[in-house]
Amino acid sequence: YRGETEAIVNFNHVYIRNVKEGVGFDKAFAESLGTHQQQGLLTPDLAAVHWMITKNFRTGREMDRSRSQYNEFRYQHRGYAKYADIARTFGWGALKAFNRQDNLDVMAQSKSAGSDLGNVDGRTLRMSMAAGADLTVLIHFWGIHPENPAKLKRAMQQHGLSPSNKIRKLLEGYKSLIPMDKRAFNETYHKIYPKNPTAYWCWSPLFGCGWWKANKNWNRSAGQASVSQVDKIIATYYHHPSPKPKPTP
């Protein structure tokens, strides 16, 4: 997908360590960018939190792919965590089938399925075909919005694909991880940076541990905006919206 070139290259590490070396999925993913103190150790769940608490997510915008320090893809787990979700939910076979077919199409110089949908929506269709479910909602969640939602939906229906309840359950789980106050925010920070990197590594407020320190006054209003955005995404692709949580007595 657009913007993920300097991110997806790290995902091969996850497959090799998980499948070939028998390392647990979360550990293989967390260490796919290295283990230095400034890098952060993010499991797929923590990568989702890292994305959901950004202003871009809270306001319904795409993940930043600019050539600047605002970039939210490159050298970051959240930039390729969508593939981890596909592997965890539908098995490694789905990604292997997708990549194999894309490679065969290139070698044969033939048009791939969805070639009339453009690079973004066409890729989503082909990956969905390999997974056996419409993955549009998952790709949307990870900050890559469909370019022509109506046309993509028709293509999915033509291939007998519909949104999976497994993905809905995954997103509901992600929603429950959103920190709702400063304390929960700081607890998440220490899970990601257990070595507590020094100020030398946290020099920029725009990325890495510096971003977390610059946003340490996280509050319930910000957390609720993230929760509302997850609900909005779910409601867009599923017939029934998420149930409202019961108020705490």
Side-chain angles (χ1 to χ4, degrees):
Y1 287 103
R2 57 199 179 201
E4 67 180 15
T5 304
E6 295 294 343
I8 192 174
V9 292
N10 299 283
F11 191 64
N12 292 334
H13 172 105
V14 185
Y15 176 80
I16 293 170
R17 297 209 57 207
N18 178 235
V19 176
K20 302 300 182 181
E21 298 179 3
V23 175
F25 194 100
D26 279 1
K27 180 178 176 64
F29 183 83
E31 296 180 351
S32 57
L33 278 173
T35 57
H36 197 279
Q37 63 169 319
Q38 90 278 13
Q39 194 61 64
L41 296 173
L42 289 86
T43 62
D45 285 357
L46 289 174
V49 175
H50 190 207
W51 166 230
M52 291 186 292
I53 60 178
T54 64
K55 184 177 181 180
N56 277 341
F57 182 85
R58 298 197 307 270
T59 55
R61 295 198 291 263
E62 290 195 313
M63 192 175 282
D64 190 290
R65 59 183 186 275
S66 63
R67 295 189 177 186
S68 70
Q69 292 182 14
Y70 291 97
N71 188 291
E72 294 167 329
F73 278 97
R74 60 189 185 192
Y75 321 124
Q76 299 169 66
H77 293 83
R78 62 189 173 191
Y80 54 98
K82 65 181 78 66
Y83 300 107
D85 280 347
I86 294 170
R88 293 194 304 169
T89 307
F90 301 100
W92 282 109
L95 290 176
K96 290 171 69 176
F98 162 71
N99 286 303
R100 179 179 184 275
Q101 188 58 55
D102 260 19
N103 186 56
L104 290 174
D105 291 342
V106 171
M107 291 173 63
Q109 297 183 345
S110 61
K111 287 187 177 181
S112 299
S115 58
D116 61 324
L117 297 174
N119 292 336
V120 172
D121 292 351
R123 183 175 176 84
T124 300
L125 174 64
R126 295 193 302 278
M127 204 150 17
S128 298
M129 292 169 63
D134 181 352
L135 300 179
T136 310
V137 58
L138 180 66
I139 305 306
H140 183 147
F141 169 83
W142 282 110
I144 298 177
H145 300 175
E147 295 182 326
N148 190 326
K151 188 175 181 180
L152 177 58
K153 183 176 181 179
R154 288 196 298 272
M156 292 291 182
Q157 292 173 339
Q158 289 170 1
H159 287 276
L161 301 170
S162 59
S164 169
N165 284 328
K166 292 180 180 179
I167 296 298
R168 178 172 185 161
K169 183 178 180 180
L170 177 72
L171 299 187
E172 295 282 7
Y174 281 164
K175 183 175 67 172
S176 72
L177 300 177
I178 296 170
M180 298 304 292
D181 55 31
K182 181 178 179 179
R183 179 179 178 180
F185 183 91
N186 290 331
E187 287 175 351
T188 303
Y189 168 81
H190 288 294
K191 288 179 182 178
I192 294 173
Y193 298 100
K195 297 180 181 179
N196 197 22
T198 63
Y200 175 84
W201 298 109
C202 305
W203 60 273
S204 174
L206 301 181
F207 62 86
C209 50
W211 182 91
W212 287 85
K213 291 183 181 298
N215 290 273
K216 61 183 179 181
N217 291 321
W218 182 263
N219 56 43
R220 185 170 185 82
S221 177
Q224 187 55 54
S226 295
V227 168
S228 296
Q229 191 57 225
V230 177
D231 283 338
K232 183 177 181 180
I233 293 171
I234 291 173
T236 299
Y237 294 94
Y238 296 91
H239 294 301
H240 303 290
S242 301
K244 299 294 182 183
K246 296 181 180 180
T248 303

